[in-house]
Amino acid sequence: MNKTIYANTQNRGDNYCKDCRARYRDLCGVMSDDTIYTLYDLGRSNKIEKGEYLFMEEAPSTYVYNISSGMLMLERIGSDGRRQIISFVYPGDFIGLTVDSNYSVSCRAVEASRFCRWKRTELEQFAEGHQNLEKSLRVIGNKVLARTIDQIFILGRKNAVERLAFFLLQTSGRQINAGLSETQLNLPMTRTDIADHLGLTIETVSRAFSRLSKDKLIELATPSLVTVLDHDQLIKCADNYKV
Amino acid sequence: MNKTIYANTQNRGDNYCKDCRARYRDLCGVMSDDTIYTLYDLGRSNKIEKGEYLFMEEAPSTYVYNISSGMLMLERIGSDGRRQIISFVYPGDFIGLTVDSNYSVSCRAVEASRFCRWKRTELEQFAEGHQNLEKSLRVIGNKVLARTIDQIFILGRKNAVERLAFFLLQTSGRQINAGLSETQLNLPMTRTDIADHLGLTIETVSRAFSRLSKDKLIELATPSLVTVLDHDQLIKCADNYKV
DNA sequence: CGCGCACTTGACCCCGGTCAAAGCTAGTGG
DNA sequence: CCACTAGCTTTGACCGGGGTCAAGTGCGCG
């Protein structure tokens, strides 16, 4: 037991937690600077390349993950091949915690990413001794749920342009709390990914981009670099967008 | 303090927990027969009539609820009036727990229903002294999340008939674990409610019902009483339906 | 018995899907 | 350094599923 901890300790990089994007968010945020090491030593830091899967739907949910950098996506693929991207995953997001013992979605890297990984059972055990962490897990779940409900509203009741406007605002919001620009949006995912997230086709997504661009609400520097020109109008367009 | 508990104790009906549909599910299910009273006495039992709101979106999330009987629905209404029903709420379901201090959706009674109500802060405080309850709250949240993800897949990637087939199977599943019939489906909600849940119009929902009926997958005794004739075929139709 | 409301069915139309072709850009190799 | 290629994106033309509008139909309730 001590040996294991010792082995992991050897893994620590120079600034292993200090410069981590996830350090003061969600899961890790509830740990003090004095106790974060105990959490760190319990898990393992690692990286994943673009296109690789972090875990697959149906597979035993052995591990839970906290994202340090990069971007991933949670996806579900129907038996006929139709794909739905549930959400994009940003640094600081905690994923992989399930009710039953199997993942309910797959997780794939949009771009090269870093993460910390814990055995689910070990983290749950650890949480039992740390009341605030247990509560944090619940809060995380509820946050995810809130976003998921937004997504349902989008898919059920909005047209193509409204969906894209909402998605861009959502991206803006996520960039803000990652300490990045509010208006310079980085979209590393492909049009296909966005389409599968918004329940549309690539062509329709592309046309929606063109439309917003023509109406001067956004500017497309490159397909993956969008500048928000008229934030207020974009909100009106997305209509029911909530912070 | 003692006085309050005493007052609530006076509220107890004859079989107040014993004959409750929610007694052995989710929230209450983690309490033993010996300790369920402490939870019961902390809250208040009440009823709500058809069409009334249990709580409204945006309002302070003062209370959390556990449903004893009847049916309710969680809905969100856009500023232009478009409505999306997030989910229908069955006996045993626990609702109202939010991240921030306001409800993110409204809850309305589909039919007359009974429920138990707690002050959120009091239940959370109570949970801190009851580890299994704290964990139960998390499990409940994850269960809800799993269903919500299913809903996203439906809305993003399925056509009208597939959506309805999925909805009927989901209803069947929920009736089973409420101890009701697997094939005789009770649909107390209106076609409008179903439409707003599946992201369709009443006309399309109606046509989908007719279609499934014509293809002998279901039988419509009355608009609100459906018999599942060919369960397997219905699953094939819904395609990606999961238990 | 008749009124009202929810549901069903039909006719038509439009948004977004499908199919096809033409840019754009990054990466490779001569 | 440039030409070539491959994959992604954009744009256009056409089509169809589901929305819209409107007219029945049936059932519960007074």
Side-chain angles (χ1 to χ4, degrees), chain B residues 90-123:
Chain B
Y90 283 76
D93 285 359
F94 176 80
I95 57 174
L97 199 53
T98 53
V99 202
D100 56 15
S101 53
N102 299 81
Y103 296 114
S104 63
V105 294
S106 301
C107 179
R108 184 142 65 122
V110 172
E111 57 183 5
S113 309
R114 302 207 116 266
F115 59 89
C116 281
R117 185 190 84 177
W118 293 269
K119 265 214 155 77
R120 180 169 60 90
T121 50
E122 288 181 8
L123 189 70

Side-chain angles (χ1 to χ4, degrees), chain A residues 18-170:
Chain A
K18 286 194 179 64
D19 59 356
C20 176
R21 277 277 170 69
R23 174 62 188 96
Y24 296 104
R25 307 223 9 241
D26 287 349
L27 185 79
C28 299
V30 301
M31 306 300 286
S32 70
D33 286 339
D34 293 340
T35 60
I36 184 70
Y37 303 153
T38 60
L39 182 59
Y40 181 85
D41 287 340
L42 192 67
R44 216 162 242 286
S45 170
N46 208 339
K47 69 178 169 47
I48 181 172
E49 296 303 326
K50 176 177 177 171
E52 287 178 359
Y53 279 93
L54 191 56
F55 53 80
M56 301 285 284
E57 185 178 350
E58 308 278 317
S61 52
T62 314
Y63 298 103
V64 294
Y65 305 85
N66 209 31
I67 308 307
S68 310
S69 72
M71 182 181 288
L72 301 92
M73 52 193 170
L74 300 178
E75 65 181 27
R76 174 172 290 183
I77 297 184
S79 57
D80 57 355
R82 282 179 289 188
R83 182 177 73 146
Q84 175 68 40
I85 292 179
I86 309 303
S87 70
F88 292 101
V89 180
Y90 283 76
D93 286 358
F94 175 79
I95 55 173
L97 198 53
T98 54
V99 202
D100 56 14
S101 53
N102 300 80
Y103 296 114
S104 63
V105 294
S106 301
C107 179
R108 185 143 65 123
V110 172
E111 57 184 4
S113 308
R114 303 208 113 265
F115 59 90
C116 282
R117 184 190 85 176
W118 293 269
K119 266 214 155 76
R120 181 170 59 89
T121 49
E122 287 181 9
L123 189 71
E124 282 179 338
Q125 199 178 344
F126 184 78
E128 278 174 25
H130 297 75
Q131 189 74 204
N132 55 350
L133 202 142
E134 176 75 49
K135 189 174 175 180
S136 172
L137 290 179
R138 206 184 74 217
V139 170
I140 291 170
N142 284 339
K143 245 193 238 184
V144 171
L145 184 59
R147 264 203 293 273
T148 310
I149 288 177
D150 282 347
Q151 187 67 14
I152 285 187
F153 190 76
I154 296 306
L155 294 175
R157 287 288 172 239
K158 290 193 177 300
N159 66 30
V161 177
E162 290 170 333
R163 289 183 198 200
L164 183 62
F166 183 91
F167 171 70
L168 294 175
L169 287 167
Q170 197 173 252

